[in-house]
Amino acid sequence: QVQLVESGGGLAQVGGSLRLSCAASGSIFSINIMGWYRQVAGKQRELVANIRSDGTTNYADSVKGRFTISRDNAKNTVYLQMNSLKPEDTAVYYCNADLVRRYGSRPYNYWGQGTQVTVSS
């Protein structure tokens, strides 16, 4: 079994900061891409940022310059540093990982349970 466990969500004020963490555990051989998505009730889940195993990053235009994604490959953990938060950043944030469980097997996609981020003015 593989689990993605998120932490770090909560309440922040406009202009404030929060840091999300997501640790992958279980039977894991390698993790190709780790990322963060967010979803507002009634809307589609959207990509916030992701990072490949070589450190290549990708950001949604709405968070460029404000959010920073990073990962610790030794700990199978991905982080999302969120600065200059805006009310429109309020959402449930989900961790996502595309990983290989055993050598030679195909990659599978996994989701965390989600963590609420609320930005209040």
Side-chain angles (χ1 to χ4, degrees), residues 2 27-34 52-53 96-111:
V2 172
S27 178
I28 299 171
F29 175 74
S30 64
I31 304 179
N32 300 324
I33 303 175
M34 299 189 82
R52 295 183 176 273
S53 56
N96 178 268
D98 192 66
L99 62 88
V100 176
R101 296 189 62 186
R102 289 180 297 277
Y103 174 78
S105 65
R106 52 158 285 191
Y108 285 89
N109 198 259
Y110 293 86
W111 292 94

Side-chain angles (χ1 to χ4, degrees), residues 16-21 36 59 63 66-70 79-85:
S17 299
L18 284 174
R19 188 184 191 224
L20 305 182
S21 300
W36 292 93
Y59 293 93
V63 306
R66 301 188 298 120
F67 291 9
T68 302
I69 190 169
S70 60
Y79 307 95
L80 186 68
Q81 178 66 44
M82 304 185 292
N83 298 329
S84 302
L85 284 163

